[in-house]
Structure formats: structure tokens, C-alpha cells
Amino acid sequence: MSKKFDGWMPRLKKANTPGALPFYQQIANAIADDITTGRLMPEQRLPAQRRLAAGLGIDFTTVARAYVEAQRRGLVDSTVGRGTFVCGKRRPAIPRAVEGRPNIDLSMNMPPEPASPELAQLMQAGYAEVGARLRDLLRYQDFCGSRDDREAGALWLRRRGLVVPQERMLVTPGAQCALLAVLATIAPAGSVVCCEELTYPGLRALAGQLGLKLVGLPMDSEGIDAVAFAAACAQYAPKALYCNPTLLNPTTAVMSAQRRQALVEVARFHGVAIIEDDAYGFLPRSGPPPLASMGPDITFYIAGLAKCVGAGLRVGFLVAPDAHYTARLTAAIRATTTMVSPITAALATRWIRDGTADLMLAAIRKECAVRHKIALRALPGASLDATPDSFHLWLRLPAPWGRRQFAETMAAAGVAVVASDAFAVGAPGMAPEAVRVCVGGMADRYQIQHALELMGQALRHPPPCVAHGV
């Protein structure tokens, strides 16, 4: 099946041979076998992926996936601009992913997981203390958090410059639950909610469930354009403006203080409530204040611990504009989720009070900065919206790449990313040619670097005749 070729060449079984593995696994196995027999020597350079693909008469993405698999096993090492080499010293093997799923999942937007043993011990100590109170925590508690939990939530929000009275603070089973409660309370079915033209997919899902119409607003490098918001208010009479003003998911845009103030003024003039999703607001060490500090009387402020402490810590903090809305939101939360889990809330409260949450946030910030540098090195010259404060980045694709083909190509190579369609509000097919890439989650630095280098190779060598957006 191979053409004339100079250099190392694996011996592959035909795909229709009984018991034959997929080609990418055969190539990775051949690398392992040839290292063992001495056919491949330490530091030996392997053929470039496109050259080997041409020699074998197979698709480039198959060879790319094979090299990813070989690197995962610690057999080879790849560097942009140098190539792929047999490892002089065997690397520790990385466990394989579940069969049929991408080897490196960069689609879920989760913070990087701190690896510090000392921090792990502190987390375990807090967990043990909560466990000592388990009998009490197995009972029903206040529907929106105990007084202790609400005080801890208020303490946490002070890191964002917010001073929240007890009568306006609610503790929820995550930020998504808080968003559901707010929308169900202030936006009847059939009403309009304005948002960024590229917005959080969870908002789109809730709008579909509740029968709301989303109107996506034009954006610039800071996010929502205030003039466009004013025009939408006059045209649609929306019930609310939803926005993610700090490290917007997916583009990482950060709204300036001046822009925030302008949006608050427009919303107040037209009598429109603001829903501020501050999911990533704790990640920057400094930045503009929340909209809730500028317009507390019209803003429903939502923050959670999933993006700044850990994705599995399903605790959210919801600040209502006044006590009247606190009562209505409490009723909505009781009707949908009953209450925040007392055990989870107690753990969050413990970690906030003893400083563990701050240490976890600091570790996430530090790792985000490291991975930002990895991304810049691995994707030189790419049109990239990224910041050292964020664990997601927005990759704008050059022609002739289309967003869906790029995502499919990366999936075939074992790397999962999210095409822009998941975030776009408006007419189908109008999404930009871009993908969101998460550099956090369970993937370590080595996996992140290799996945990004694989993306860089794909960007430099697009397939022919790719139609944008198809």
C-alpha cells in the first residue's frame, strides 16, 4: 500500500485484515516495536507527518493521531519547527482515554487542577472536618444556604469589591441553577433577553427550555456595544441583559469600567434588568469592578466556585437587587432544586474561611499563566484571543479552514475543541470561523503542549478545497 519512500516506514496490515487495528494504533505500535528491536534508535528523527502519510498512502490526520498516541506512551517527543524524535529516555506513560473518545479533551471549560501535595492535604483536612458534622448536614437546611454559608459567600464576594447584605445573598447549587432562577423570575415565556452575539451555551439551553427569545448584540474587543444595546432596548423592550463581562466565554474579552458604566446607564434608562455572570471574574488579579457595584438596584449578580476553585464544587452565589427579589428567587430555587447541598456548601464555607479556596485560586492563576505561554509558543502567528488570566482561548481560523472541518480534523487526531456554533446567537450559519480551546481540566502541560502543536501543524497545512462553515 506504500509508495516509494526513503526513511523509517512502519509495516501495516490492511484495514480489512481480520483483527487489524486502526492504522493510527498500528503506527504507534510499530514505533514501540522498532524501538525495542533497535530499528529505531534514541534521538532518531521520524518522518514528517505529511511525508509519512504520503508514503503510506493514508490521510495526514491518521499519522498525526498516531504520533499523538506515541507521544502519550512516552515513545517520542515533538517540537514545533524541529520535528518528532524517538525519546532518548522513556517518559512516564500517560493513561489512555476511554476508547472512542478524544485522547485530549480541550472542549470542557474547566480550570487546571493544582498538583501541589501541600494544597491537597489542606483540601483533605477541610473535607475531614466537614465529615465530622455529617449527621447534621444530612438534614434539610435553609433553602438558600445557612447563615454561615451566606456569610462565607459574602466574604468571598468581597474579593470582587462587593459588600452584600444578608437579605440579598442566596447560596445555590451552582451558577447555572442561579441563572435558571433569575430567568424564571423576571422573564416570562415569549419575552426577549439580550446577550452577547457569542454567549455562554448554558444560557442558550435555558432560553430554549423557558421559551425565551435571545437577541445577540454586536461586540467589539471589550464585549457588548452600548449603542447597540440601547437600540435593542428601543426595538425589542427586553426583560433583561445577560452578560459575561470578564473573560467572556468564549472570546476572553474583558469589558472596561467605562463600558460597564455605559451599559448600566442604558439599562436603567430603559428599565431593563442586568444579569451579570461573573464566572471568571475572580481569575484576574486586578480588573474592572462588577456591574453590580455600579448598578446594584438593577443587577442580579451570579458567581460560582466552579471556575476559580474546582468544577465539581457546585456552589453558586446569587445577589438580588433587593429583599423583594430575594424572596421570589428563594421560591424559584425551592421549586426547582429544593436547596444547595448542605455538605457541599459546608465544604465551600470551610475552604473560604480557612484560606484553602484562596490558595486554590492562586494555584489556578499561576498555572493559567504557564499554559498561556505554552499556547503562544505552540501557535506562533495564529490569530489568537488569549490572556494569562484565562484557561480558555479563542482561535480564529485562517482561510481555507472552516470551523467544523477544523474541529473534526482535530477530533480525528484525538483532540476535542468546540466550534463557534455552540456560542453563536442569531441566524444559523452566521457563526465566525473560530473554535474555543480549553487549556485547563485534567490535561497536564505535556498534553496541552502537544495538542496545541498539533493544531499549529494543522493551521500551517490546511487540506485543499475546504469550504468555510460547511
Side-chain angles (χ1 to χ4, degrees), residues 347-368:
L347 181 60
T349 294
R350 165 69 181 182
W351 283 350
I352 289 171
R353 291 195 179 281
D354 70 8
T356 301
D358 283 310
L359 291 174
M360 294 174 74
L361 174 58
I364 290 169
R365 286 170 171 167
K366 182 177 180 181
E367 188 63 22
C368 283

Side-chain angles (χ1 to χ4, degrees), residues 295-315:
D297 56 316
I298 59 171
T299 303
F300 294 83
Y301 176 86
I302 301 171
L305 299 177
K307 307 302 184 184
C308 55
V309 176
L313 195 62
R314 305 306 302 165
V315 174

Side-chain angles (χ1 to χ4, degrees), residues 1-24:
M1 63 178 286
S2 63
K3 302 174 183 178
K4 186 176 180 181
F5 186 82
D6 250 347
W8 178 80
M9 173 74 71
R11 304 176 182 91
L12 305 183
K13 294 182 180 179
K14 294 182 178 180
N16 57 2
T17 302
L21 294 171
F23 285 146
Y24 84 92

Side-chain angles (χ1 to χ4, degrees), residues 145-159:
S146 68
R147 181 179 182 84
D148 197 32
D149 297 335
R150 283 183 278 121
E151 287 178 351
L155 178 64
W156 185 250
L157 297 190
R158 286 179 195 168
R159 290 155 178 78

Side-chain angles (χ1 to χ4, degrees), residues 181-319:
V182 174
L183 290 172
T185 299
I186 68 174
S191 57
V192 169
V193 174
C194 291
C195 62
E196 296 97 346
E197 61 185 349
L198 293 170
T199 194
Y200 167 51
L203 173 68
R204 296 181 58 194
L206 287 178
Q209 288 287 323
L210 298 173
L212 304 176
K213 179 183 178 181
L214 293 182
V215 172
L217 301 177
M219 302 187 303
D220 57 19
S221 60
E222 291 189 21
I224 293 172
D225 180 89
V227 174
F229 175 43
C233 288
Q235 180 177 356
Y236 299 105
K239 292 294 183 181
L241 168 69
Y242 167 92
C243 61
N244 176 199
T246 301
L247 298 176
L248 171 64
N249 178 14
T251 70
T252 76
V254 177
M255 197 180 289
S256 67
Q258 293 78 8
R259 179 69 58 83
R260 295 174 194 231
Q261 186 63 52
L263 289 178
V264 169
E265 290 173 3
V266 171
R268 181 172 282 119
F269 179 82
H270 289 277
V272 177
I274 295 175
I275 305 172
E276 181 177 12
D277 185 347
D278 205 27
Y280 306 93
F282 291 80
L283 294 175
R285 289 168 176 80
S286 62
L291 282 82
S293 65
M294 302 173 179
D297 56 316
I298 59 171
T299 303
F300 294 83
Y301 176 86
I302 301 171
L305 299 177
K307 307 302 184 184
C308 55
V309 176
L313 195 62
R314 305 306 302 165
V315 174
F317 303 118
L318 170 58
V319 181

Side-chain angles (χ1 to χ4, degrees), residues 242 271 370 373:
Y242 167 92
V370 171
K373 292 180 180 178

